[in-house]
Amino acid sequence: MVNTALARRSSPVSLRVIFGVLLGLLVLSFTLGTGAPAAHAASDVCVANAETACFNGTIKGVGAGVKLTIDGNGLNVVAETDKDGKWNAAVTTAGVYTITLDEKTLPAGVTLKGDAVQERDITLGFTKGAIFAVDGATGEGADNGQSQEQIAAEGFNWDRLAQQVVSGLRLGLLLALASIGLSLIYGTTGLSSFSHAEQVTLGGLLGYTFANVLGLNIFVTIIIVVILTGATGYIQDAVIWKPLRKKGLSLTQMIIVTIGLALAMQYTFQMFWGAKTIRIIKNNPDTFTIGPVTLTFESIWAMGLSVIVLILVGLFLLKTRTGRATRAVSDNPALAVASGIDVDRIIRLVWVIATALAGLSGVMLGLVLNGINWQTGMQLLLLMFAAVTLGGLGTAFGALVGSLIIGMTVELANFVVPGDFKYATALVLLIVILLVRPQGIFGRKERIG
């Protein structure tokens, strides 16, 4: 337990008023979220949730009317491309499906490269793509020089590789927003917060409330969400964590408290927002294609905003007096106290920054995935801990590097393992690296004994 030697001044009245207003906004958003999923408009775009899985893809240059059949597990679903060659289909049972492209529906002069039949294994709550390459279609990318037989034998496709690399970078950046805060909390308090992932869910659900229900501009929504989720960090430390630190609770006891808080938040989300996957923006996402890579515009600016925020966090930690004090507390709390640093104030600030970044990550994930639900944070929790541990516990920059590695590993694993096994590969990589470097990539060796 770390105690500061400096007496803390009471908060100004204006500060209490500000946080009172923020708390009121948070309560209002919970109230508006109640029952909202029932009013959610139906859409032609499949949104994965606990009861649904989605297949999708784009056949470049073929236009509308090309039909595909998804068959398996007692289901037979017919999908059809739109004017941009995009298609998607929903299934309600997990398992292996056969996806067949009807070559008779291809436009005149367009021929299929490779097999018209593919198999995909899918789990409910996830989206999986299927790539069918064609010759003779307007806008079709250049041939990579390999025959379809070579590609099938090697299990490799250059177009797919480019898409997966970009997807891995996107996941890594969004994961880093949440993981950096988790690492800072551990560095300053020694606490591994299992409830931190629920701040990601809270950010996405608040984004839905303000952007979808209230109809606010998405950038205004992001600002409000960051402020509100940051306020929850302030309240958490003031009401829960500081009193527990003062009472001398062990870290093990406090970790159990974070687990209980996580469960309480999950079922609170389910009570107010429902169990279904909800979309932050009502309109179907538009896409942007560069060569073989296709991304939604939301993904592009989400990645750009993530890079900007991560740079600002890095500059804060390196260039500002408060940032240097934060690093000092993380490196050696006892020495920080002796140097006159108000440790309690720094820890409070870390909680605010960490929860605000997690909330921002939740909004970005909701936009990129085109949906969010009460379990989104829980599904990311192990990946967040893997990223923090891989980079080095307590190091913000280690969490960034670890997140990028985990994100890239998860997406590229699709080349060699089916379905959701890709998440297991990230944990396998974590174990292998820790066997070689137990302190993580940027961690420091600790003296034992």
Side-chain angles (χ1 to χ4, degrees):
M1 180 182 69
V2 178
N3 292 316
T4 177
L6 300 181
R8 299 195 61 233
R9 294 190 295 255
S10 60
S11 300
V13 175
S14 59
L15 187 60
R16 292 198 295 268
V17 171
I18 290 173
F19 278 100
V21 173
L22 293 176
L23 183 60
L25 283 173
L26 188 62
V27 173
L28 175 62
S29 67
F30 269 82
T31 304
L32 291 172
T34 306
H40 176 57
S43 172
D44 291 332
V45 175
C46 175
V47 177
N49 55 43
E51 294 82 27
T52 306
C54 302
F55 290 105
N56 61 20
T58 301
I59 308 175
K60 297 180 182 179
V62 299
V66 177
K67 294 182 178 181
L68 303 97
T69 302
I70 296 88
D71 185 69
N73 303 287
L75 298 176
N76 186 278
V77 181
V78 177
E80 191 170 316
T81 59
D82 62 12
K83 60 182 179 64
D84 298 317
K86 300 174 185 176
W87 62 273
N88 69 96
V91 294
T92 55
T93 304
V96 178
Y97 286 84
T98 300
I99 304 174
T100 305
L101 186 146
D102 186 353
E103 296 184 68
K104 296 179 181 178
T105 61
L106 289 172
V110 176
T111 57
L112 180 66
K113 295 197 299 183
D115 295 332
V117 180
Q118 298 185 19
E119 281 192 353
R120 292 289 185 273
D121 186 5
I122 199 166
T123 301
L124 296 182
F126 291 86
T127 299
K128 182 154 294 188
I131 298 175
F132 291 92
V134 295
D135 275 327
T138 304
E140 176 65 18
D143 192 353
N144 61 17
Q146 288 181 296
S147 69
Q148 192 66 25
E149 289 74 18
Q150 288 174 313
I151 294 173
E154 297 174 11
F156 185 82
N157 181 292
W158 284 107
D159 288 356
R160 185 183 174 198
L161 174 63
Q163 182 71 55
Q164 295 299 103
V165 167
V166 175
S167 297
L169 178 62
R170 179 183 63 188
L171 176 60
L173 289 171
L174 298 181
L175 196 63
L177 287 177
S179 299
I180 284 178
L182 183 63
S183 186
L184 287 173
I185 291 172
Y186 179 86
T188 53
T189 67
L191 177 64
S192 297
S193 176
F194 282 79
S195 62
H196 192 70
E198 309 316 319
Q199 296 291 147
V200 176
T201 305
L202 178 61
L205 295 176
L206 290 177
Y208 161 79
T209 300
F210 288 106
N212 199 324
V213 179
L214 296 180
L216 298 183
N217 176 274
I218 186 60
F219 293 103
V220 175
T221 294
I222 289 173
I223 294 173
I224 295 174
V225 169
V226 168
I227 293 173
L228 286 177
T229 51
T232 64
Y234 184 99
I235 295 169
Q236 278 187 56
D237 187 60
V239 176
I240 303 175
W241 308 121
K242 182 180 177 182
L244 292 181
R245 290 197 302 271
K246 295 298 183 183
K247 289 182 179 296
L249 260 71
S250 68
L251 289 176
T252 301
Q253 291 171 303
M254 294 178 70
I255 288 174
I256 293 173
V257 174
T258 69
I259 295 173
L261 179 60
L263 293 173
M265 292 178 71
Q266 287 172 21
Y267 290 109
T268 301
F269 298 153
Q270 189 177 20
M271 180 174 66
F272 283 97
W273 279 278
K276 295 182 179 180
T277 297
I278 52 181
R279 297 171 63 185
I280 294 178
I281 295 181
K282 298 177 182 179
N283 299 330
N284 295 334
D286 294 322
T287 59
F288 181 78
T289 301
I290 304 177
V293 178
T294 299
L295 291 172
T296 62
F297 282 100
E298 286 82 0
S299 292
I300 294 172
W301 64 257
M303 292 170 68
L305 182 59
S306 298
V307 170
I308 293 173
V309 171
L310 291 171
I311 290 174
L312 291 176
V313 171
L315 291 175
F316 165 76
L317 292 173
L318 292 174
K319 301 296 183 181
T320 67
R321 183 177 180 180
T322 304
R324 289 192 290 269
T326 301
R327 289 161 52 210
V329 173
S330 179
D331 289 340
N332 193 325
L335 183 59
V337 171
S339 302
I341 295 174
D342 188 343
V343 175
D344 278 338
R345 184 181 69 85
I346 293 298
I347 292 175
R348 182 73 50 83
L349 177 63
V350 165
W351 274 101
V352 172
I353 293 175
T355 52
L357 289 175
L360 176 61
S361 176
V363 179
M364 298 294 99
L365 280 167
L367 292 171
V368 167
L369 300 177
N370 199 26
I372 196 164
N373 61 45
W374 67 285
Q375 293 180 309
T376 299
M378 181 177 64
Q379 293 166 349
L380 293 173
L381 181 62
L382 284 180
L383 293 183
M384 291 166 57
F385 273 115
V388 170
T389 307
L390 180 63
L393 287 170
T395 61
F397 298 107
L400 170 59
V401 174
S403 297
L404 293 176
I405 293 174
I406 292 295
M408 201 68 70
T409 301
V410 166
E411 294 298 334
L412 292 179
N414 269 334
F415 282 107
V416 292
V417 294
D420 301 333
F421 280 108
K422 65 182 182 180
Y423 297 105
T425 61
L427 301 179
V428 171
L429 175 66
L430 171 65
I431 293 171
V432 171
I433 291 182
L434 291 182
L435 287 173
V436 177
R437 189 175 173 82
Q439 69 270 32
I441 297 174
F442 289 91
R444 296 172 301 177
K445 290 185 177 180
E446 299 290 340
R447 183 183 295 273
I448 300 175

